[in-house]
Amino acid sequence: MASRVQQLSVELAGRSYPVVVGPGARHELARLMPAGARLAAVVTQARVGVGVETGLAQEVFHIGDGERAKELATVEELCRGFSRWGLSRSDVVVAVGGGVVTDVAGFAAAVYHRGVAVVHVATTLLAQVDAAIGGKTGVNLPEGKNLVGAFWQPSAVVCDTEVLAGLPERERRSGLGEMAKYAFLGVPGLASMTLEDAVASCVACKARFVSADERETDALGGGEGGRSAGRALLNYGHTLAHALETVGAYDLRHGEAVAVGLVFAARLARRLGRVDDGVVAEHERVVHAYDLPSRLPPGVGHPELVEAMGRDKKASGGGLTFVLDGPDGLEVVPGVPVDAVRAVLEEMSR
Ligand code: GLY
């Protein structure tokens, strides 16, 4: 039977890298190791339970579970472990897991010896369609998510769709939240595709944005006619999602928070007169088709959310900044009045 593994590419001047997608893709890992590497430091979490064969001398480094592990202390612990093991600058870090693992291991790789190669083996839907691609790495601070990090592109990414079969239901739904986002970034028909085609389509979409604007420098006005065309658009739905996650205390996974954030963004765009009711209804339809939430969790504190959104790294002086839909499609919109944001939060709590 023909292999259903496909190879895509993130095109970057001089640093393009392959993304291998499909059932059994993890078995291609050895051929993706950087030339000259002798040692592979495999960073994972005990619960991931996906074994990899790098074809090099390898050692497993475990990090803790959950978002709590995404902190500077974990990066220090990893780098000290790499050093004790003798990992050199020409060796490789292999991150095996979801977004927490790829973000933390990617950041450790970015700073260890001022940068060693990293290969991501993404084992969750969320990591396959988003976290493992694009080179943003980092950790959280108590003040906010992803506040310390680096752009550090992997030298290859593996998205083995076979390992998704073992994902807990909440994890799968979390990935679907990011997948729903791609429906608004120009990927049609996702819901009717096979899993591997859906993952590959999202990867291809993300790769186009990353290739066009690797470091998110095109946040405002860089696109055609002064519109944003950059990878900042990948943050669609994320300003509220990050605020929900930062404020915490709500039992929402990242993709579930993104789903709420997508509907919030559509409603905010409507309140600002940028889109009509049909656009809001389409956002709700896509989010509900994936059985994801479209309302704020009960008891959520609006002032805390507004404050957290103000601290979001996309915020710039005067009002808040969001990616919003409009007559010309998605764009980064600064200076959104706080009153409009509050009114939509109210609307979404009913
Ligand atoms: N690591 C996720 C990104 O670069 O967008």
Side-chain angles (χ1 to χ4, degrees):
M1 202 170 93
S3 165
R4 281 152 53 205
V5 174
Q6 346 178 8
Q7 185 160 315
L8 298 101
S9 177
V10 179
E11 296 294 327
L12 296 169
R15 288 169 299 116
S16 299
Y17 56 92
V19 183
V20 182
V21 181
R26 69 190 182 284
H27 303 303
E28 310 221 357
L29 186 59
R31 77 168 171 87
L32 299 168
M33 291 294 105
R38 280 184 320 108
L39 303 181
V42 176
V43 178
T44 192
Q45 293 161 317
R47 72 185 179 130
V48 170
V50 174
V52 291
E53 267 311 321
T54 59
L56 306 176
Q58 64 185 59
E59 175 100 355
V60 175
F61 296 82
H62 283 114
I63 65 170
D65 279 338
E67 196 72 17
R68 274 198 312 276
K70 210 175 137 174
E71 58 173 3
L72 281 166
T74 311
V75 175
E76 179 179 359
E77 204 177 302
L78 280 175
C79 290
R80 293 182 65 184
F82 296 163
S83 177
R84 283 194 297 270
W85 187 46
L87 195 77
S88 79
R89 206 172 160 198
S90 56
D91 292 321
V92 60
V93 172
V94 178
V96 182
V100 168
V101 176
T102 58
D103 280 5
V104 172
F107 185 46
V111 293
Y112 182 70
H113 280 304
R114 299 192 184 84
V116 297
V118 63
V119 172
H120 295 313
V121 180
T123 63
T124 65
L125 184 54
L126 188 73
Q128 295 192 357
V129 299
D130 187 47
I133 322 281
K136 283 187 189 174
T137 68
V139 294
N140 302 331
L141 294 180
E143 287 74 13
K145 277 176 67 76
N146 300 321
L147 285 182
V148 178
F151 281 98
W152 192 245
Q153 296 292 346
S155 44
V157 179
V158 172
C159 301
D160 189 338
T161 50
E162 213 167 67
V163 305
L164 301 180
L167 272 191
E169 180 54 16
R170 286 295 295 283
E171 280 289 345
R172 195 185 66 85
R173 275 161 52 82
S174 186
L176 292 177
E178 281 291 343
M179 215 174 234
K181 177 190 80 178
Y182 286 100
F184 303 106
L185 288 168
V187 185
L190 274 171
S192 54
M193 291 181 195
T194 61
L195 181 60
E196 58 257 33
D197 284 346
V199 171
S201 300
C202 294
V203 167
C205 178
K206 178 145 189 185
R208 281 195 296 277
F209 277 97
V210 172
S211 301
D213 177 26
E214 181 186 358
R215 292 190 167 231
E216 206 166 308
T217 47
D218 192 18
L220 283 174
E224 201 180 316
R227 284 185 54 236
S228 167
R231 71 178 281 179
L233 301 188
L234 292 166
N235 292 324
Y236 192 41
H238 281 61
T239 306
L240 178 62
H242 284 163
L244 283 164
E245 292 173 283
T246 300
V247 168
Y250 313 108
D251 182 27
L252 282 181
R253 294 292 168 90
H254 176 70
E256 293 170 330
V258 170
V260 176
L262 290 171
V263 172
F264 171 81
R267 285 173 171 263
L268 185 57
R270 176 176 64 183
R271 181 158 286 267
L272 298 175
R274 300 174 55 87
V275 301
D276 58 20
D277 292 350
V279 170
V280 175
E282 177 60 6
H283 280 65
E284 298 207 329
R285 190 194 63 73
V286 168
V287 160
H288 292 156
Y290 286 124
D291 195 23
L292 290 163
S294 61
R295 289 290 179 277
L296 287 173
V300 64
H302 298 177
E304 295 156 87
L305 286 179
V306 171
E307 196 193 321
M309 286 191 275
R311 276 201 309 264
D312 188 271
K313 60 189 179 306
K314 293 177 292 305
S316 54
L320 299 170
T321 299
F322 293 89
V323 177
L324 295 177
D325 206 351
D328 299 320
L330 297 186
E331 58 191 324
V332 176
V333 180
V336 174
V338 172
D339 284 354
V341 172
R342 283 201 196 104
V344 177
L345 290 174
E346 281 297 325
E347 217 176 278
M348 292 187 60
S349 298
R350 283 178 213 138

